[in-house]
Amino acid sequence: KNQVEQSPQSLIILEGKNCTLQCNYTVSPFSNLRWYKQDTGRGPVSLTIMTFSENTKSNGRYTATLDADTKQSSLHITASQLSDSASYICVVGTEAGNNRKLIWGLGTSLAVNP
Amino acid sequence: DAGVTQSPTHLIKTRGQQVTLRCSPISGHKSVSWYQQVLGQGPQFIFQYYEKEERGRGNFPDRFSARQFPNYSSELNVNALLLGDSALYLCASSLTGQVGSNQPQHFGDGTRLSIL
């Protein structure tokens, strides 16, 4: 069964600290992996998209890694800011012939405190 | 440039009523996808439309329907509303219809639907 699992479910850190969010997936065949940031009451905003051949991609203070062999991804946030408080969702794309889907994780809720 | 716009932002309905939600994609984008997001969970895929044709359908009952217009805007209709339909309904647009491909999706801020 295609699944995306994220950990931790929630996280509290102090402003200025770094953190790493985890994503494990059992999606096959694999097409791509995305990380989204979703502020409360807003739509998700794309942070990174990685294909099978990419093992790291950065977007400012956000760096995503992908290990396609172990089917794991991480999102590292450097020097956190209060505005980083949001839900971070891992999404895996699968593509088998004409059947293409996006499998969504439940997200990690991050709170950055002053 | 305007992003994905959805209307209305909030809506309150009662059980059994019908509702229509609207979405305007980013200019030049030809694909629109609809998602339902219940509080505390990730978005659940409902429909995808590309060039006015349905390209994908999630596991939702026939009470849910959608269409895409020649200007690529889209409407999501839900009939016979149930309490469980209370959720944030998100619309996402992308350049092409390749759901699951490397094409990024751009989301609107959603319509918050509450069923009393």
Side-chain angles (χ1 to χ4, degrees):
Chain A
K1 181 181 179 182
N2 288 330
Q3 282 187 321
V4 175
E5 295 182 350
Q6 294 188 240
S7 62
Q9 185 175 3
S10 62
L11 184 63
I12 302 173
I13 62 173
L14 292 176
E15 186 179 11
K17 298 296 186 182
N18 304 335
C19 68
T20 299
L21 314 180
Q22 300 291 341
C23 173
N24 296 337
Y25 60 93
T26 57
V27 178
S28 182
F30 174 88
S31 174
N32 58 85
L33 186 143
R34 311 154 183 235
W35 283 94
Y36 284 93
K37 176 188 178 188
Q38 186 174 22
D39 293 316
T40 301
R42 306 293 300 272
V45 174
S46 179
L47 295 176
T48 62
I49 299 177
M50 289 185 291
T51 61
F52 184 88
S53 60
E54 297 173 294
N55 55 25
T56 187
K57 184 166 277 190
S58 291
N59 178 357
R61 294 180 295 102
Y62 301 100
T63 299
T65 64
L66 173 64
D67 186 334
D69 292 331
T70 61
K71 298 188 176 182
Q72 295 180 327
S73 176
S74 66
L75 180 70
H76 186 74
I77 304 175
T78 304
S80 61
Q81 300 177 359
L82 298 179
S83 59
D84 292 331
S85 295
S87 178
Y88 291 83
I89 308 174
C90 175
V91 186
V92 179
T94 180
E95 187 171 343
N98 290 325
N99 187 16
R100 300 178 179 89
K101 293 182 181 179
L102 294 173
I103 313 299
W104 291 71
L106 295 180
T108 292
S109 178
L110 174 66
V112 180
N113 290 340
Chain B
D1 287 339
V4 177
T5 57
Q6 294 187 243
S7 64
T9 55
H10 295 84
L11 201 52
I12 299 175
K13 291 285 188 178
T14 58
R15 281 178 297 176
Q17 285 189 310
Q18 175 265 341
V19 67
T20 298
L21 311 181
R22 296 176 176 83
C23 172
S24 293
I26 290 173
S27 178
H29 284 195
K30 298 181 178 181
S31 175
V32 169
S33 297
W34 287 96
Y35 293 84
Q36 180 195 67
Q37 187 175 23
V38 174
L39 195 62
Q41 299 194 14
Q44 296 291 316
F45 172 70
I46 310 175
F47 286 111
Q48 190 225 352
Y49 276 77
Y50 176 67
E51 290 281 16
K52 302 182 289 295
E53 292 187 359
E54 183 182 302
R55 283 293 188 92
R57 173 184 286 253
N59 189 23
F60 279 81
D62 292 342
R63 300 185 295 108
F64 289 77
S65 64
R67 56 180 175 168
Q68 187 177 33
F69 299 98
N71 66 354
Y72 303 111
S73 67
S74 178
E75 287 182 351
L76 175 69
N77 296 286
V78 187
N79 294 324
L81 288 167
L82 304 174
L83 292 178
D85 295 331
S86 295
L88 179 68
Y89 288 85
L90 294 164
C91 172
S93 79
S94 57
L95 271 173
T96 70
Q98 304 295 328
V99 172
S101 73
N102 302 340
Q103 283 289 327
Q105 286 189 313
H106 302 267
F107 285 84
D109 284 335
T111 293
R112 172 70 63 187
L113 176 62
S114 299
I115 310 302
L116 303 179

